[in-house]
Amino acid sequence: MRFAPLAWSALAYLCIGLGAAGIVLPLLPTTPFLLLALWAATRGSPRLANWLLYHPRFGPYLYAWREQRAIPPRAKLTAYALLVFSLVTLWLGGASPWLLAALALFFAGVATFIATRPDATATPSEPVANPPRR
């Protein structure tokens, strides 16, 4: 076995692990790690890439992003709610006004990015034997 596919697969598994940890740890994001895992898996293990794309929970989101650069409407609403919840929690916790202002500006940028992504419409219909390299 060549080193490169093994390294890509190892990176994919590492990112899956970090993404799984992010499900329960509030400061560790799940989605970016799963997107990175899919990206690495397409280079190292088509079988793992297919597993990610057809995972019942995360597959539709990963597929929508990979194929359309789209975010499902429900995920957009969840993201907006979490941004507001985070800011309100910090405000109620007595965070510095400077920190709140900086985060509000950053969160506004994140919300704008999310709002400008198209709504996801497609889901995978059959396994990708050889996923395209991106």
Side-chain angles (χ1 to χ4, degrees):
M1 177 179 239
R2 293 180 30 213
F3 176 73
L6 184 61
W8 287 120
S9 295
L11 177 61
Y13 281 110
L14 174 66
C15 290
I16 290 169
L18 290 170
I23 293 171
V24 294
L25 298 175
L27 296 178
L28 195 61
T30 298
T31 304
F33 285 117
L34 292 179
L35 289 170
L36 184 58
L38 179 61
W39 175 76
T42 58
R43 286 152 176 74
S45 171
R47 181 176 167 191
L48 178 58
N50 278 328
W51 180 80
L52 285 167
L53 283 173
Y54 295 95
H55 188 276
R57 181 75 153 169
F58 305 115
Y61 300 103
L62 294 172
Y63 183 83
W65 182 257
R66 190 180 110 187
E67 297 301 319
Q68 303 170 341
R69 296 295 187 252
I71 301 172
R74 184 174 175 188
K76 287 182 180 185
L77 291 176
T78 301
Y80 299 143
L82 289 173
L83 290 171
V84 170
F85 176 76
S86 297
L87 201 56
V88 168
T89 301
L90 288 168
W91 175 63
L92 292 174
S96 154
W98 288 105
L99 176 64
L100 289 173
L103 284 176
L105 186 62
F106 177 71
F107 287 176
V110 170
T112 301
F113 175 80
I114 292 169
T116 59
R117 300 304 96 202
D119 289 342
T121 58
T123 57
S125 56
E126 61 184 55
V128 180
N130 240 339
R133 293 178 182 234
R134 294 186 186 236

